[in-house]
């Protein structure tokens, strides 16, 4: 990234894939993907069960929160015979991490540090 010569990351946001959102009816009634199970645990079960107390929001950087979501999503996936729920996937869905964006940010940060 060179000032006045190349565009910044924010100017290129339309080049990144859009965030994926799933309809609640699919998440609740007919999950087909491991992501559906994680979203169900995050949106529905978190609010219903309050695993860490009333009013505590999901913190994607808290390992205890991610572990609870992972275990809950794994149980739901087993009941629907869905394979592929992993801890890393749970983190990615919870934090809405797009792998391409994360690697791009790391590359840009490394380039800035070496300048």
């Amino acid at each position: 990234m060179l000032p006045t010569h190349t565009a910044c990351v924010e100017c290129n946001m339309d080049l990144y894939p859009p965030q994926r959102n799933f309809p609640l009816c699919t998440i609740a009634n007919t999950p087909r993907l491991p992501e559906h199970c994680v979203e169900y645990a995050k949106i529905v079960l978190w609010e219903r069960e309050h695993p860490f107390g009333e009013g505590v929001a999901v913190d994607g950087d808290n390992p205890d929160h991610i572990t609870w979501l992972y275990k809950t999503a794994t149980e739901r996936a087993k009941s629907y015979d869905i394979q592929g729920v992993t801890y890393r996937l749970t983190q990615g869905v919870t934090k809405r991490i797009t792998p391409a964006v994360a690697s791009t940010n790391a590359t840009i940060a490394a380039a800035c540090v070496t300048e």
Side-chain angles (χ1 to χ4, degrees):
M1 218 167 47
L2 301 171
T4 70
H5 294 293
T6 57
C8 63
V9 175
E10 287 81 16
C11 295
N12 291 321
M13 288 306 286
D14 58 329
L15 298 176
Y16 294 116
Q19 287 188 355
R20 294 179 63 192
N21 294 317
F22 304 105
L24 189 56
C25 59
T26 299
I27 295 169
N29 299 322
T30 55
R32 294 180 306 278
L33 301 172
E35 290 87 348
H36 294 162
C37 298
V38 175
E39 282 287 325
Y40 183 81
K42 178 183 169 192
I43 294 172
V44 177
L45 296 179
W46 187 272
E47 292 297 320
R48 184 184 302 160
E49 298 182 16
H50 306 289
F52 295 95
E54 186 83 28
V56 176
V58 176
D59 181 2
D61 294 321
N62 187 328
D64 294 331
H65 290 196
I66 298 296
T67 300
W68 185 88
L69 290 170
Y70 168 65
K71 289 179 181 178
T72 308
T74 301
E75 291 170 12
R76 182 161 174 83
K78 285 181 184 175
S79 69
Y80 283 93
D81 197 31
I82 297 172
Q83 304 290 321
V85 176
T86 64
Y87 188 85
R88 187 172 181 160
L89 175 79
T90 305
Q91 281 182 311
V93 171
T94 303
K95 296 167 116 178
R96 301 210 180 275
I97 295 174
T98 305
V101 173
S103 61
T104 301
N105 288 346
T107 303
I108 291 171
C112 290
V113 169
T114 58
E115 285 183 359

